[in-house]
Amino acid sequence: MNMVEIITKKKLGGALSPDEIKYFVDGAATGSVPDYQLAALLMAIRLRGMTAEETTALTLAMLKSGDVADLSAIPGIKVDKHSTGGVGDTTTLILAPLVAACGVPVAKMSGRGLGHTGGTLDKLESIPGLSVSLSEKAFVDQVNRIGLAVIGQTGSLAPADKALYALRDVTATVDSLPLIASSIMSKKLASGADAIVLDVKTGSGAIMHTLEGSLELARAMVAIGALAEKPVTAVITGMAQPLGTHVGNALEVKDAIDVLSGRTKGDLLAVSLLLGSHMLTLAGAAKDPAEAEIQLRRALDSGAGLEKLRQMIGAQGGDPRVCDDLSRLPQPAVRRRVTVGRGGYVDAMDTTALGLAAQAMGAGRLRKTDALDYSVGFILPVRIGDRVERDTELCTLCARSEAEADAAERAIRAAITFSEEPPARPKLWEAVVTADGTRMNET
Ligand code: URA
């Protein structure tokens, strides 16, 4: 067996055997297969797809490429949550402290930005001093001490995913159902959680743009969870526009702090409460999501959620004063307010293009080794369905230079369309998928 044969077979649309899958996955984990061959195979998989059997074999091979975290020293049911990736989508920084404040331990391993989507680790690292690299022991100790830790996948967990994820980010091979399902599920099964909530995005800013594609992805991941005997709830949520009003690493930390402080309501809070309520329910802390949401709202209103975030930032070496003084977050060299320039209604957004605009400003990577500028991105207060006038603020750009602000302004203007009639507002969520079936949002 060799890589050229495996690439050729997939290039011609063949199904790879479990042994062939194990061969390249082990090669990715150990570094024995070079990046250029892995990149070629990833593109062949992106173009030719995989059968359900291949996707399961890929997930298991990636899971077995490393260790499985042992969280048994943390009492209670540990529920993890993972998003397929969105723009302005910083639910983890809101729901993890809220769930922990309700007494359910959150031991969460998160990822970096992927393609046009942001990553929780990059956002957390924008907080001065904060480290996302903890040993497994320090991770478990922190959760037992304060109920919450959010770190990067340790090197020994699903190392094949770590290698392939970084390559996919820079080879335009992110949007592949088998690659997404196996990446997420191998990591989540390796992270040692007892149950998993998946946030599967749908719409123009999601990796899967159509509802059918998102449902297929959700069902594939729920089926893998069932094989591994882990309860999985997948919620399909809207990504027709950025979820929060802020896009960019430090900007999204600010958005999360504004939500936890009660200053900002809106879709980001609503989706965080929705996902958090499924986490509390799977953890057995509430009888159903409605009861769970009451607990989460109490933690929000009392300030207990914000206090948990402060504690976590401090425990991981960061400056907890950012929670009370947002000027301690990285600040951009250039700030520019842009107005809409016409009247009408916000009709639609190309949210992937908005994510790519932030990436081009320096908020995401174009090469594996790119360093990020944590301060850059934009604030986009308008929502689909809003009435706007000439002078309404379209966005505030946070950029490294005037030239980059010019380019971002052009990209953002091109990504948003307006109409004379009010369009329907997008739904916050479309469906909930579990091993028992699919419940569509009929509202
Ligand atoms: N998140 C992941 O962890 N992997 C993917 O492939 C997509 C989103």
Side-chain angles (χ1 to χ4, degrees):
M1 197 181 314
N2 67 54
M3 273 309 284
V4 178
E5 284 168 12
I6 294 174
I7 296 167
T8 306
K9 188 168 178 187
K10 188 44 77 184
K11 179 180 77 176
L12 298 176
L16 302 178
S17 68
D19 282 347
E20 287 166 331
I21 289 172
K22 181 172 176 343
Y23 180 87
F24 83 78
V25 167
D26 288 349
T30 59
S32 66
V33 173
D35 277 2
Y36 54 83
Q37 287 186 317
L38 291 172
L41 180 61
L42 288 171
M43 186 54 84
I45 294 173
R46 161 65 184 81
L47 296 176
R48 292 298 199 161
M50 278 185 147
T51 63
E53 291 71 30
E54 283 179 287
T55 306
T56 304
L58 180 56
T59 309
L60 295 179
M62 296 216 289
L63 169 63
K64 288 180 190 155
S65 71
D67 301 334
V68 173
D70 179 5
L71 303 184
S72 58
I74 304 170
I77 301 175
K78 277 77 65 184
V79 186
D80 204 345
K81 168 257 160 198
H82 200 86
S83 160
T84 57
V87 178
D89 170 20
T90 193
T91 58
T92 293
L93 296 186
I94 297 163
L95 64 77
L98 288 177
V99 168
C102 291
V104 169
V106 179
K108 175 141 181 44
M109 291 187 200
S110 287
R112 299 202 173 274
L114 188 63
H116 67 281
T117 69
T120 302
L121 297 184
D122 298 326
K123 295 170 202 174
L124 280 174
E125 282 180 346
S126 73
I127 299 172
L130 189 141
S131 168
V132 295
S133 313
L134 263 59
S135 69
E136 200 172 311
K137 179 169 182 324
F139 178 56
V140 167
D141 286 352
Q142 181 175 318
V143 177
N144 278 335
R145 215 171 51 252
I146 64 167
L148 171 64
V150 180
I151 63 164
Q153 177 186 348
T154 63
S156 62
L157 297 190
D161 172 62
K162 204 167 187 176
L164 295 176
Y165 190 92
L167 265 184
R168 284 170 59 216
D169 188 26
V170 290
T171 56
T173 52
V174 169
D175 57 341
S176 154
L177 188 149
L179 294 179
I180 302 169
S182 58
S183 161
I184 293 180
M185 291 309 290
S186 63
K187 255 191 313 252
K188 294 296 102 176
L189 296 176
S191 77
D194 303 305
I196 301 160
V197 173
L198 298 173
D199 180 12
V200 179
K201 301 287 178 191
T202 194
S204 67
I207 297 178
M208 298 310 224
H209 286 195
T210 65
L211 182 55
E212 293 67 38
S214 303
L215 279 168
E216 203 189 335
L217 176 60
R219 289 181 180 132
M221 292 194 288
V222 168
I224 294 170
L227 280 178
E229 299 181 350
K230 299 269 182 197
V232 177
T233 299
V235 187
I236 301 194
T237 66
M239 192 37 70
Q241 56 192 335
L243 182 57
T245 51
H246 292 53
V247 179
N249 295 297
L251 287 166
E252 291 183 45
V253 171
K254 170 184 177 299
D255 214 5
I257 292 171
D258 282 341
V259 168
L260 286 172
S261 307
R263 287 188 289 272
T264 299
K265 313 250 183 270
D267 293 356
L268 176 59
L269 170 62
V271 172
S272 303
L273 292 173
L274 175 64
L275 297 168
S277 68
H278 284 284
M279 288 176 76
L280 286 189
T281 308
L282 280 181
K287 77 172 186 316
D288 58 29
E291 187 190 287
E293 188 173 327
I294 295 171
Q295 293 185 35
L296 292 167
R297 281 194 185 276
R298 246 185 246 134
L300 178 73
D301 295 342
S302 68
L306 183 62
E307 177 54 22
K308 266 294 159 228
L309 181 66
R310 250 190 227 108
Q311 285 176 10
M312 185 190 92
I313 292 172
Q316 292 183 214
D319 181 356
R321 291 173 299 178
V322 296
C323 292
D324 307 288
D325 178 2
L326 293 166
S327 71
R328 291 180 180 273
L329 289 168
Q331 301 297 318
V334 173
R335 211 179 267 275
R336 181 190 300 174
R337 183 175 185 274
V338 174
T339 54
V340 174
R342 57 159 289 169
Y345 291 90
V346 181
D347 188 44
M349 298 194 194
D350 178 345
T351 307
T352 293
L354 292 173
L356 291 175
Q359 186 189 40
M361 294 174 91
R365 294 176 188 80
L366 290 169
R367 281 180 301 260
K368 267 184 4 175
T369 47
D370 281 352
L372 303 184
D373 184 324
Y374 294 123
S375 71
V376 300
F378 49 86
I379 303 167
L380 189 76
V382 292
R383 311 294 291 165
I384 292 175
D386 283 358
R387 169 87 209 162
V388 293
E389 308 299 340
R390 271 186 85 77
D391 294 336
T392 305
E393 179 183 337
L394 177 66
C395 61
T396 292
L397 303 167
C398 298
R400 289 183 288 207
S401 66
E402 293 292 346
E404 288 188 347
D406 289 345
E409 181 174 338
R410 278 193 300 275
I412 293 170
R413 285 195 187 284
I416 302 178
T417 52
F418 297 89
S419 60
E420 298 311 319
E421 297 301 320
R425 292 195 186 260
K427 284 185 186 175
L428 270 186
W429 65 278
E430 297 280 356
V432 177
V433 181
T434 64
D436 296 332
T438 302
R439 180 166 61 88
M440 301 301 295
N441 180 0
E442 306 294 357
T443 58

